[in-house]
Amino acid sequence: MNVTEKKITLTKVASHHLTSLKQFTLHEHQLAFTSMPMPAYEKCMRDPNRLPVAIIEGVRTVGFFVLDQGDDVFSYTTRPHAILLRAYSINLPDQGRGIAKASLRQLKPFVEKHLPDCREVVFGVNEDNPSAKKVYLEAGFINTGEQKMGRSGPQAILTFFMTCSFTSEPLKS
């Protein structure tokens, strides 16, 4: 059964999400493209530039990703005020029901609320992962036509601009 977008919400990871995140499973081949939530969450706890985000369906934690404001973003874009999406995953039992696309469509309002200076969300999707690439593109991301070498091969760089009037000029404080 596919989910409706109204049932999917994004929230900062809180302590009550950790039990679900510890129980996450992924296909073994997916681990070439992403990481399990707990190691990524633990990196967030050591790095204040990383924001861990839980994907919620109703009251259940069904997915996870990180928004990274650190310097790694500049290996994907030269634009200021960009953030890097990383470690995106949907728990294996919940895959194939439209949760990924619905959660990605919630990304803009979530970022506007929690990271209001952000003007671009960027990330790399492995070229050997066409089903994930299709989901990101259907959710509104744009293929920049550029590539970056990742740990498991070449990645297409995808972007999502937060405003239509994006420029590379720094924001005024």
Side-chain angles (χ1 to χ4, degrees):
M1 171 196 289
N2 283 350
V3 300
T4 64
E5 289 189 33
K6 292 179 184 176
K7 291 183 180 181
I8 300 299
T9 58
L10 304 179
T11 187
K12 293 179 184 180
V13 172
S15 59
H16 65 276
H17 299 121
L18 298 181
T19 300
S20 296
L21 295 178
K22 288 176 185 175
Q23 296 172 352
F24 255 53
T25 57
L26 296 172
H27 281 294
E28 188 173 322
H29 76 277
Q30 291 174 317
L31 294 174
F33 308 128
T34 192
S35 65
M36 293 296 286
M38 284 311 296
Y41 173 77
E42 289 164 2
K43 284 183 182 179
C44 293
M45 295 301 93
R46 297 186 304 268
D47 184 346
N49 289 314
R50 293 179 184 221
L51 174 65
V53 181
I55 302 167
I56 308 297
E57 179 186 20
V59 296
R60 292 185 324 108
T61 304
V62 295
F64 174 85
F65 62 90
V66 174
L67 295 173
D68 184 351
Q69 301 174 83
D71 290 339
D72 286 352
V73 71
F74 296 113
S75 64
Y76 294 84
T77 184
T78 59
R79 294 179 186 94
H81 305 286
I83 57 172
L84 178 60
L85 175 72
R86 40 184 358 150
Y88 186 92
S89 64
I90 301 295
N91 195 15
L92 183 59
D94 296 300
Q95 292 179 13
R97 298 189 304 116
I99 293 170
K101 193 183 306 181
S103 69
L104 291 167
R105 288 187 174 147
Q106 298 297 319
L107 189 58
K108 182 177 179 181
F110 180 85
V111 170
E112 286 173 339
K113 178 179 179 181
H114 297 285
L115 301 165
D117 291 337
C118 175
R119 297 293 175 258
E120 177 185 18
V121 178
V122 65
F123 70 102
V125 61
N126 193 289
E127 292 288 7
D128 289 335
N129 195 359
S131 58
K133 186 176 181 181
K134 180 181 177 198
V135 169
Y136 295 124
L137 293 172
E138 288 176 353
F141 281 83
I142 299 166
N143 189 340
T144 66
E146 297 177 29
Q147 284 190 334
K148 174 185 180 346
M149 188 53 71
R151 64 183 168 104
S152 297
Q155 297 178 329
I157 296 177
L158 303 184
T159 189
F160 181 85
F161 294 109
M162 297 300 293
T163 62
C164 295
S165 60
F166 179 84
T167 69
S168 60
E169 297 297 316
L171 296 177
K172 306 235 187 305
S173 312

